[in-house]
Amino acid sequence: MLRLWRRDVPLSERLGEDSPLAAAPGPPPTAAPTGPNISWLPEAPLLSPDQPIFLMTPAAQAVSGFFVWTALILTCHQIYMHLRFYSSPREQRHIVRILFIVPIYAFDSWLSLLFFTNDQYYVYFDTVRDCYEAFVIYNFLSLCYEYLGGESAIMAEIRGKPIESSCMYGTCCLWGKAYSISFLRFCKQATLQFCVVKPLMAIITVILQAYGKYKDGDFNVAGGYLYVSIIYNISVSLSLYALFLFYFSTRELLSPYSPMLKFFMVKSVIFLSFWQGMLLAILEKCGAIPQINSVEVSVGEGTVAAGYQNFIICIEMFFAALALRHAFTYRVYMDKSLDSQGRCAPMKSISSSLKETMNPGDMVQDAIHNFSPAYQQYTQQSMLEQGAPPPVCRTHSTVSTRGDTEKTLLLSSDDEF
């Protein structure tokens, strides 16, 4: 009787070999699970090498390559035209820098897609992209400053005006405050901190990846992805809020320059692409995106989601190139760049303009200046001619150049924001 109740003894031994129940045919026994399944997330479906995902097919590389190279041609032509008609260096320098985000984003994502099966390569490619997007944020804010004639010109228009309190625009916490030099300083500092945090997080990501402590979409507290994402989210949200505050305070002054399209394009390319990647990583973690189960293909956790992110970016950059052609057109600078004989700049001038455009020295100096304790005696160049008020509301056809008429206006920052 003891043998009948023992579960570790086969049924044929417990009933005896001559028992009809022991010899009765039946389905083969199934292996018992090794442990309880307590995961609250569904397991992602696995694909064998005979069923490759779309990202591994030549069609994906061809489609993404078509959109990427079309975007490169469109944007490179626009950059060339800006350098050819380089009549307003202070403005076009920032415009060219912003336009370069399309070639960098598109080509970087396409390379990551080509090396999809090497799951560590895309992390290093994306580092270049991450560092440059912080550069673009700074240049967009600086371009808005140049449109309006500099910081002192902006302060001459908005200083002392009460800040409109609105929960919809995120200014409810600024009720009772007025625009001051400290307000502009906060916008600059909040933007510049992203230029520091983003490259720093990119370098940390590469180091963690080298030591096997970083995987896209891995929200484990023992990994680095969770903490890098939290820090980056805080930094990017603060930078976006600062850009929005600046636009909210100067939207009437910027109206001649169609700021909405420019603001939307920069925000969507940089900020929405990050949250798009976060969403894909969560979908892969929840099992909505299939994983690859193959000995021949080395694909780690989060790589499939990153691959889809790169494929989507390749297509999005084509539409971004089209939108940026309208947002930052070169036609407004054409007439001023022609000489008396109607000739444009020579190739030597174009190459020197490109070299000057990609020099990040102005951003470094601006960062040191804005975070310096000597900001109490803040100075900023502006368009002041014999004490006349600076021309803030300008049109593209009447953009005045800055030369010997530039003077320095001392602005005190004793008032608090």
Side-chain angles (χ1 to χ4, degrees):
M1 181 60 69
L2 180 62
R3 292 173 60 88
L4 292 176
W5 289 101
R6 290 186 60 183
R7 304 180 63 91
D8 58 338
V9 180
L11 181 62
S12 59
E13 294 185 12
R14 283 185 280 165
L15 298 178
E17 295 181 357
D18 298 334
S19 173
L21 293 177
T30 58
T34 56
N37 185 11
I38 59 175
S39 177
W40 59 275
L41 290 175
E43 294 185 0
L46 300 178
L47 295 179
S48 64
D50 298 334
Q51 298 174 327
I53 63 174
F54 175 70
L55 298 176
M56 301 173 61
T57 61
Q61 299 176 359
V63 171
S64 60
F66 170 78
F67 283 100
V68 165
W69 286 102
T70 305
L72 288 177
I73 293 174
L74 292 174
T75 307
C76 289
H77 173 262
Q78 186 181 7
I79 292 174
Y80 168 75
M81 297 303 290
H82 269 287
L83 297 176
R84 186 182 181 186
F85 304 106
Y86 203 62
S87 58
S88 300
R90 291 181 178 271
E91 294 179 7
Q92 291 177 280
R93 173 179 58 185
H94 301 296
I95 292 176
V96 171
R97 291 173 178 177
I98 294 173
L99 293 177
F100 262 109
I101 195 173
V102 171
I104 292 177
Y105 258 59
F107 195 69
D108 174 273
S109 300
W110 193 54
L111 282 180
S112 301
L113 202 60
L114 294 180
F115 292 94
F116 172 73
T117 53
N118 301 91
D119 63 306
Q120 294 183 354
Y121 283 16
Y122 78 93
V123 176
Y124 304 107
F125 291 145
D126 292 350
T127 301
V128 180
R129 186 178 71 189
D130 294 343
C131 294
Y132 193 78
E133 69 181 26
F135 191 45
V136 169
I137 291 297
Y138 164 78
N139 281 279
F140 178 72
L141 182 62
S142 299
L143 176 62
C144 294
Y145 273 59
E146 294 296 334
Y147 279 155
L148 301 180
E151 196 158 273
S152 56
I154 300 173
M155 286 309 304
E157 292 291 328
I158 68 173
R159 188 172 191 173
K161 294 182 179 180
I163 301 177
E164 181 182 352
S165 180
S166 173
C167 296
M168 178 180 178
Y169 295 105
T171 57
C172 55
C173 56
L174 304 178
W175 182 82
K177 294 184 178 294
Y179 293 113
S180 64
I181 186 64
S182 298
F183 171 83
L184 293 183
R185 183 191 185 190
F186 168 78
C187 295
K188 262 292 181 68
Q189 288 181 337
T191 305
L192 287 169
Q193 61 83 23
F194 181 69
C195 300
V196 176
V197 172
K198 185 59 178 176
L200 182 61
M201 289 296 102
I203 296 175
I204 293 177
T205 298
V206 172
I207 297 175
L208 293 175
Q209 174 73 19
Y211 286 94
K213 296 294 184 180
Y214 182 89
K215 292 181 180 179
D216 271 328
D218 184 12
F219 294 94
N220 192 336
V221 293
Y225 178 80
L226 176 63
Y227 306 105
V228 170
S229 299
I230 292 176
I231 296 175
Y232 179 69
N233 258 306
I234 296 175
S235 177
V236 75
S237 300
L238 181 61
S239 179
L240 178 61
Y241 180 65
L243 281 178
F244 183 80
L245 281 181
F246 179 80
Y247 169 75
F248 182 75
S249 62
T250 60
R251 60 189 184 278
E252 296 180 357
L253 303 176
L254 288 171
S255 57
Y257 307 97
S258 303
M260 277 301 298
L261 181 59
K262 297 179 175 64
F263 184 79
F264 175 77
M265 287 308 304
V266 173
K267 184 174 68 172
S268 60
V269 169
I270 294 179
F271 300 111
L272 296 184
S273 62
F274 167 73
W275 289 315
Q276 175 181 275
M278 285 283 294
L279 176 61
L280 290 173
I282 295 174
L283 289 177
E284 182 180 5
K285 193 70 176 180
C286 294
I289 297 179
Q291 299 178 357
I292 300 176
N293 182 24
S294 173
V295 181
E296 302 175 356
V297 180
S298 174
V299 174
E301 183 179 0
T303 305
V304 179
Y308 279 108
Q309 163 79 339
N310 290 319
F311 178 78
I312 296 174
I313 289 179
C314 290
I315 299 177
E316 290 174 340
M317 287 302 104
F318 167 74
F319 298 99
L322 294 177
L324 289 174
R325 287 184 70 88
H326 296 280
F328 301 98
T329 178
Y330 62 88
R331 300 185 182 277
V332 296
Y333 304 102
M334 290 180 62
D335 296 336
K336 296 190 306 175
S337 63
L338 299 177
D339 56 15
S340 58
Q341 300 179 358
R343 295 175 300 182
C344 58
M347 287 300 299
K348 183 178 180 180
S349 177
I350 293 176
S351 60
S352 60
S353 299
L354 179 62
K355 182 179 179 180
E356 185 267 341
T357 296
M358 301 312 296
N359 183 9
D362 58 325
M363 185 185 72
V364 176
Q365 293 178 2
D366 203 7
I368 295 175
H369 177 73
N370 277 272
F371 287 100
S372 172
Y375 195 91
Q376 183 74 15
Q377 299 296 327
Y378 182 75
T379 60
Q380 182 74 18
Q381 287 184 335
S382 66
M383 284 297 299
L384 293 177
E385 190 171 359
Q386 297 180 355
V392 238
C393 298
R394 298 173 289 138
T395 60
H396 282 297
S397 58
T398 59
V399 179
S400 57
T401 57
R402 297 183 185 180
D404 297 334
T405 59
E406 283 188 303
K407 297 195 174 147
T408 302
L409 177 65
L410 182 62
L411 295 175
S412 174
S413 63
D414 293 337
D415 43 357
E416 297 180 355
F417 169 56

